[in-house]
Amino acid sequence: MRLSLGDKMMQRSIYILLALLALLMLYPFWNALVISFNLGSDTALGGVTLWPRAFTLENYYIVFQDDRLLNSFLITILRTLCGTALSVFFTALLAYGMSKKTLLFRKQYMVFFMITMFFSGGLIPSYLLIRSLGMLDTFWVLIIPGIISVWNMIVIRTFFNALPEGLEESAKIDGCSNYGIFFRIVIPVSGPVLATIALFTAVGYWNDWFTGAIYITEDRLLPIQTLLRQVMNSNIMTQIGSSNAIALDHMNRNRTITTKSLTMATMMIATIPIILTYPFLQKYFVKGVMVGSLKE
């Protein structure tokens, strides 16, 4: 379609505006990355914006000497992998059942699920429930409470509803069971929507600090986001130094390190891994959301 002069000007204006907005959102992250690679004492002088003025890896060296951070990093990776796999599996299983018009009390189930989207039991009842289940200070408390999302279930169910009925009918004629249809027919053709939901879920598990702050009191089970919040609310130099004698000795000998530079390095370590997953799932992102959100 040939654009008029007015349309072209409008299109370019939108591009310029979006580019400016992107720069505004990217700059704080870039500046934090730059500060993490700059000498803390030099950063304290001000003026460090786009590039490190005194490049160093000391901040990351100190942070990686902290055993708690490495342990929290592993807990977060394990939580994200297990939580995402289990959440996608059970959410897809529930969505498949809810997509069947022959399911008894289907509408009643849906009303029940919708109520949970708008009302919750509250923090104290949730805490008492988790405690009565004996899940306090366990790894599974980081996964199970959020294992099924009604919103994600609705998106997947809508995608399943759009699949041709002939796929399942032909599989039944060939003798395939209901579980066989789900695992061998439905799941393989649902890659885009499942990849998109997996991305949503993985980001949610990775960034969640609240669950660890409420239900976890032992340092060995803290996710990295919860640990990062604790460290940023306290004196990071004391936090790291108290957990590792080598790091404390290094900091005492090297006075160029500051709380701000260590905080930025810790924040980068907690943020970059989940950002790196986007390029691998981006090709499914738009397609999965659009297909799962449309209903004919």
Side-chain angles (χ1 to χ4, degrees):
M1 183 177 68
R2 189 169 184 176
L3 299 177
S4 65
L5 180 61
D7 292 336
K8 291 180 179 177
M9 292 182 66
M10 178 60 72
Q11 192 178 54
R12 289 172 184 173
S13 300
I14 292 173
Y15 286 155
I16 293 173
L17 179 62
L18 291 177
L20 290 175
L21 288 174
L23 288 175
L24 286 175
M25 288 184 283
L26 287 175
Y27 175 72
F29 181 80
W30 177 255
N31 184 247
L33 181 65
V34 168
I35 291 175
S36 71
F37 282 108
N38 200 67
L39 277 178
S41 56
D42 182 73
T43 303
L45 300 177
V48 178
T49 54
L50 296 178
W51 306 105
R53 195 165 50 205
F55 183 83
T56 182
L57 295 176
E58 290 292 330
N59 301 319
Y60 287 93
Y61 175 80
I62 294 297
V63 170
F64 278 115
Q65 291 296 319
D66 187 355
D67 295 335
R68 294 183 315 155
L69 186 137
L70 293 178
N71 183 70
S72 297
F73 197 65
L74 293 176
I75 287 291
T76 304
I77 292 175
L78 190 61
R79 177 197 189 190
T80 302
L81 294 177
C82 294
T84 302
L86 292 174
S87 179
V88 171
F89 172 73
F90 285 111
T91 304
L93 199 62
L94 177 61
Y96 182 65
M98 293 301 296
S99 68
K100 299 301 172 189
K101 296 179 181 177
T102 56
L103 179 69
L104 288 178
F105 306 115
R106 179 170 174 257
K107 291 184 179 178
Q108 288 79 358
Y109 288 146
M110 200 61 216
V111 171
F112 175 76
F113 292 139
M114 294 293 290
I115 289 175
T116 64
M117 292 181 69
F118 299 101
F119 304 99
S120 66
L123 181 59
I124 294 177
S126 299
Y127 180 85
L128 294 177
L129 175 63
I130 295 296
R131 189 181 67 175
S132 65
L133 294 173
M135 293 176 63
L136 292 179
D137 285 327
T138 63
F139 173 72
W140 295 108
V141 78
L142 299 172
I143 294 176
I144 292 178
I147 201 166
I148 289 181
S149 164
V150 176
W151 173 264
N152 292 341
M153 184 272 287
I154 293 174
V155 173
I156 299 175
R157 187 201 63 169
T158 308
F159 182 88
F160 288 163
N161 284 336
L163 294 177
E165 294 183 2
L167 276 177
E168 296 189 22
E169 291 174 357
S170 60
K172 286 181 180 177
I173 293 173
D174 292 338
C176 199
S177 65
N178 288 328
Y179 284 106
I181 293 173
F182 178 71
F183 288 108
R184 299 171 65 182
I185 304 295
V186 176
I187 291 296
V189 300
S190 305
V193 70
L194 295 182
T196 304
I197 296 301
L199 179 61
F200 288 161
T201 307
V203 173
Y205 275 121
W206 185 275
N207 290 332
D208 176 38
W209 61 270
F210 188 73
T211 304
I214 297 299
Y215 302 124
I216 300 294
T217 57
E218 297 183 14
D219 285 349
R220 64 183 179 85
L221 291 173
L222 282 178
I224 193 169
Q225 304 295 351
T226 307
L227 179 66
L228 177 62
R229 179 180 176 275
Q230 290 181 357
V231 166
M232 291 180 73
N233 288 338
S234 59
N235 188 335
I236 190 172
M237 307 287 277
T238 305
Q239 288 275 331
I240 292 179
S242 63
S243 64
N244 192 288
I246 297 175
L248 180 61
D249 180 64
H250 193 86
M251 285 188 292
N252 290 331
R253 287 187 286 106
N254 192 345
R255 294 295 182 183
T256 60
I257 298 168
T258 64
T259 295
K260 184 176 182 179
S261 61
L262 288 180
T263 301
M264 295 302 172
T266 307
M267 189 171 73
M268 287 299 109
I269 294 171
T271 307
I272 287 178
I274 195 64
I275 293 178
L276 296 180
T277 62
Y278 276 88
F280 297 101
L281 296 175
Q282 192 271 338
K283 61 181 180 180
Y284 299 110
F285 192 75
V286 175
K287 184 179 178 182
V289 171
M290 293 300 293
V291 172
S293 62
L294 294 177
K295 183 177 181 180
E296 295 181 357

